[in-house]
C-alpha cells in the first residue's frame, strides 16, 4: 500500500485532516485500532469555539451543526448566592456552539464515506518505521489477520495519548501538571435546567451544568482523584448537584432525570515539544492534554489539524517545506495559550480545602464578573483565538 499521508487515528482529528488534505489535492489512508462503532460512540467534548466552527464551515462540514447545534452567547459564573452572565458576543463578537464530539464524528464519517476515503478499522500491532527519514512506513495487522505495510511521504499521529505515534516521536521536552481532583461526569435524559453553561464555585467543590441537546444534560462534580463512580448513587449525585449549583437560589431549580452514563475523569495538563519528528507530525491529544474546564481539548485538535493540513498541502502539493518546518512552533503558541487558560479556569473554580485559596478564588471571580477587561479576557480565550496566532500582545 502507498499513500502521501498515513494518518494514525480515525477520531475527529484524523478524519478532519483526511478531509482537509483531500480538498487540497493530497491523498491519505487512515488507520484505526478501534471499531468504527466504538469511535463513533465515545462521549467527549461538547463545546465548539468560534474558530472551530469556522474551520468546519470552510470545509463544508457545518450543515447539521447549524441545523441541530445550539449557539450560545456566553456562560454563567456562579458562587453561593451570586450568578453572573458573561456575554461573549457582546464582549468579543464571537459565540460558541453546543455540539457534541459524537456529532462531529458522524459528520466527518459521512463526508469521508461519501468520497470513498480509505479507512482501516480494527487494526492491531500498528508500528511506525523510519520516521526520521523521508521514506517512513507503517506496519499493521488488518481485521482479517493479514500483515500489511503502508508506505507514505508523511505520517500524521492523530491517535491520542496512548497510541503508537507519541511513542515513535521522542520529545525534546515534556511538561505535565497532575491535579489533585477529578470530575464525576454524568449524562442524563432530562432537558437542561439552564439556557447556557453554569460554572459553579462552591465550598464542597466545583460543579458544571452543561448539555448535549434539548433533551440530554451533561453535568459534572469535582471529586477526589481515585473516586469510584459506583459509590455515588443517582440520588447522591442529584442532591450534591443541587447544592453546588444553587437549587432554589433566586427561584432557579435543577431538574433531575434518569442517569444514562457516569464516569470519573482525572484532571491533568500534558504538553510535549516538538510536535514533529522527521516525517512524523503529531496533532491533538497525541501532543497535548488539557483539563476540560476551559473546553479546549477538541478545539485544540481542530486547530492543530487546520495548521497541519495547510503545511502538508504546501509541502506535498506545492513543494514548499516552510509551513511544515514551522508547524510545531506555530501550533504550540496556541497550545500554550490554551493550556494556560485551562489551568487558569481550573484553579479559579476547583476548591482545595484551604481558606486562603478560597478567598483568592472568590476575589478573582468577583473581578472577572465586575471588570469588562477581566470578562473580555475570559471571553476571548473561551470563544477561541484565531488559529495559528498567539494571544494579542
Amino acid at each position: 500500500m502507498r499513500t502521501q499521508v498515513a494518518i494514525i487515528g480515525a477520531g475527529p482529528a484524523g478524519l478532519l485532516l483526511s478531509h482537509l488534505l483531500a480538498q487540497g489535492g493530497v491523498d491519505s489512508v487512515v488507520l484505526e485500532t478501534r471499531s468504527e462503532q466504538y469511535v463513533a460512540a465515545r462521549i467527549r467534548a461538547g463545546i465548539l469555539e468560534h474558530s472551530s466552527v469556522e474551520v468546519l464551515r470552510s470545509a463544508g462540514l457545518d450543515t447539521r451543526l447549524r441545523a441541530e447545534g445550539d449557539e450560545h452567547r456566553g456562560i454563567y459564573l456562579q458562587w453561593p448566592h451570586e450568578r453572573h452572565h458573561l456575554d461573549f458576543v457582546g464582549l468579543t463578537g464571537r459565540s460558541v456552539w453546543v455540539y457534541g464530539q459524537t456529532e462531529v464524528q458522524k459528520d466527518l464519517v459521512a463526508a469521508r464515506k461519501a468520497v470513498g476515503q480509505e479507512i482501516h478499522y480494527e487494526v492491531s500491532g500498528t508500528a511506525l518505521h523510519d520516521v526520521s527519514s523521508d521514506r517512513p512506513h507503517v506496519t499493521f495487522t488488518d481485521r482479517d489477520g493479514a500483515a500489511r505495510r503502508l508506505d507514505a511521504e508523511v505520517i500524521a499521529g492523530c491517535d491520542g495519548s496512548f497510541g503508537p505515534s507519541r511513542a515513535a516521536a521522542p520529545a525534546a521536552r515534556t511538561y505535565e501538571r497532575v491535579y489533585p481532583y477529578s470530575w464525576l461526569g454524568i449524562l442524563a435524559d432530562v432537558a437542561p435546567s439552564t439556557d447556557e453553561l453554569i460554572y459553579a464555585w462552591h465550598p464542597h467543590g466545583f460543579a458544571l451544568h452543561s448539555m448535549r441537546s434539548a433533551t440530554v444534560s451533561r453535568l459534572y462534580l469535582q471529586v477526589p482523584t481515585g473516586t469510584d463512580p459506583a459509590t455515588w448513587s443517582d440520588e447522591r449525585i442529584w442532591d450534591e448537584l443541587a447544592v453546588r449549583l444553587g437549587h432554589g437560589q433566586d427561584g432557579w431549580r435543577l431538574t433531575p432525570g434518569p442517569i444514562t452514563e457516569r464516569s470519573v475523569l482525572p484532571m491533568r495538563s500534558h504538553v510535549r515539544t516538538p510536535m514533529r519528528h522527521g516525517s512524523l507530525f503529531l496533532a491533538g491529544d497525541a501532543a497535548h492534554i488539557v483539563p476540560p474546564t476551559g473546553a479546549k481539548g477538541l478545539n485544540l485538535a481542530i486547530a492543530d489539524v487546520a495548521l497541519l493540513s495547510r503545511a502538508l498541502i504546501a509541502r506535498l502539493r506545492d513543494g514548499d517545506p516552510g509551513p511544515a518546518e514551522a508547524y510545531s512552533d506555530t501550533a504550540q503558541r496556541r497550545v500554550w495559550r490554551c493550556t494556560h487558560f485551562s489551568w487558569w479556569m481550573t484553579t479559579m473554580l476547583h476548591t482545595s480545602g484551604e481558606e486562603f485559596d478560597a478567598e483568592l478564588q472568590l476575589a478573582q471571580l468577583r473581578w472577572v464578573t465586575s471588570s469588562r477587561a477581566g470578562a473580555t479576557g475570559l471571553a476571548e480565550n473561551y470563544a477561541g483565538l484565531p488559529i495559528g496566532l498567539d494571544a494579542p500582545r
Side-chain angles (χ1 to χ4, degrees):
M1 300 168 60
R2 181 175 296 277
T3 188
Q4 288 179 284
V5 181
I7 300 175
I8 314 299
L15 292 189
L16 179 59
L17 179 60
S18 71
H19 186 88
L20 296 175
L21 289 175
Q23 290 187 325
V26 173
D27 67 89
S28 64
V29 172
V30 182
L31 306 178
E32 171 58 52
T33 301
R34 303 287 192 172
S35 69
E36 180 180 347
Q37 295 72 26
Y38 179 92
V39 177
R42 285 186 295 204
I43 304 296
R44 297 283 179 85
I47 302 295
L48 293 177
E49 64 184 40
H50 175 84
S51 300
S52 296
V53 173
E54 287 301 295
V55 170
L56 296 175
R57 179 196 59 77
S58 65
L61 295 167
D62 65 334
T63 301
R64 224 165 49 88
L65 163 62
R66 300 286 183 182
E68 301 178 20
D70 188 10
E71 186 176 14
H72 283 194
R73 291 186 62 96
I75 61 170
Y76 295 100
L77 285 180
Q78 176 180 307
W79 57 96
H81 311 299
E82 294 199 41
R83 179 181 293 168
H84 300 266
H85 184 250
L86 271 61
D87 183 356
F88 296 167
V89 175
L91 292 164
T92 69
R94 299 197 294 272
S95 61
V96 297
W97 285 74
V98 174
Y99 194 66
Q101 178 172 319
T102 52
E103 303 309 311
V104 174
Q105 183 73 13
K106 288 177 187 176
D107 296 339
L108 287 165
V109 168
R112 302 319 299 142
K113 283 185 175 179
V115 294
Q117 172 69 47
E118 187 173 353
I119 307 174
H120 296 264
Y121 289 99
E122 300 178 71
V123 306
S124 60
T126 304
L128 286 61
H129 306 273
D130 299 331
V131 297
S132 298
S133 75
D134 59 0
R135 297 178 182 275
H137 68 278
V138 182
T139 57
F140 63 97
T141 301
D142 66 23
R143 72 176 78 187
D144 297 321
R148 307 290 294 275
R149 170 174 169 147
L150 174 62
D151 289 280
E153 297 177 59
V154 166
I155 300 174
C158 303
D159 48 340
S161 57
F162 299 108
S165 298
R166 175 183 283 190
R173 189 82 182 266
T174 297
Y175 304 84
E176 189 164 40
R177 170 66 55 85
V178 178
Y179 297 90
Y181 35 72
S182 298
W183 278 9
L184 171 62
I186 65 165
L187 273 178
D189 283 340
V190 62
S193 301
T194 178
D195 59 333
E196 295 187 332
L197 277 69
I198 302 172
Y199 284 78
W201 181 97
H202 192 275
H204 289 192
F206 168 75
L208 171 62
H209 191 323
S210 184
M211 62 280 289
R212 286 295 178 268
S213 70
T215 59
V216 177
S217 295
R218 183 75 158 149
L219 302 104
Y220 299 93
L221 289 166
Q222 177 188 342
V223 296
T225 296
T227 294
D228 180 354
T231 63
W232 282 74
S233 67
D234 290 12
E235 182 179 14
R236 182 186 180 192
I237 290 172
W238 286 115
D239 286 348
E240 190 60 25
L241 284 167
V243 170
R244 299 188 195 185
L245 291 169
H247 177 80
Q249 180 177 311
D250 296 328
W252 180 81
R253 294 189 171 278
L254 174 68
T255 303
I259 295 175
T260 59
E261 179 185 303
R262 75 189 70 204
S263 60
V264 170
L265 174 67
M267 306 282 280
R268 68 186 179 111
S269 297
H270 180 102
V271 179
R272 60 186 288 121
T273 182
M275 293 168 59
R276 177 194 178 186
H277 180 72
S279 296
L280 170 60
F281 296 78
L282 302 180
D285 286 0
H288 42 71
I289 302 288
V290 292
T293 324
K296 290 299 162 206
L298 175 59
N299 292 296
L300 265 180
I302 291 174
D304 287 351
V305 164
L307 287 173
L308 183 55
S309 62
R310 297 171 199 164
L312 296 183
I313 290 167
R315 173 176 165 172
L316 300 174
R317 186 191 68 186
D318 305 330
D320 178 7
E325 295 291 338
Y327 165 69
S328 181
D329 289 341
T330 304
Q332 287 211 323
R333 288 200 297 271
R334 198 177 201 274
V335 167
W336 277 112
R337 174 86 296 277
C338 292
T339 298
H340 175 267
F341 177 67
S342 299
W343 166 86
W344 181 76
M345 287 283 286
T346 300
T347 55
M348 178 172 67
L349 290 161
H350 291 73
T351 57
S352 68
E354 297 291 333
E355 292 183 357
F356 184 81
D357 293 346
E359 293 300 328
L360 290 179
Q361 291 171 319
L362 290 170
Q364 187 160 245
L365 285 164
R366 293 186 186 106
W367 170 70
V368 168
T369 54
S370 63
S371 161
R372 185 175 181 85
T376 301
L378 189 153
E380 181 179 72
N381 283 272
Y382 196 106
L385 298 167
I387 290 176
L389 297 179
D390 204 346
R393 304 185 198 195

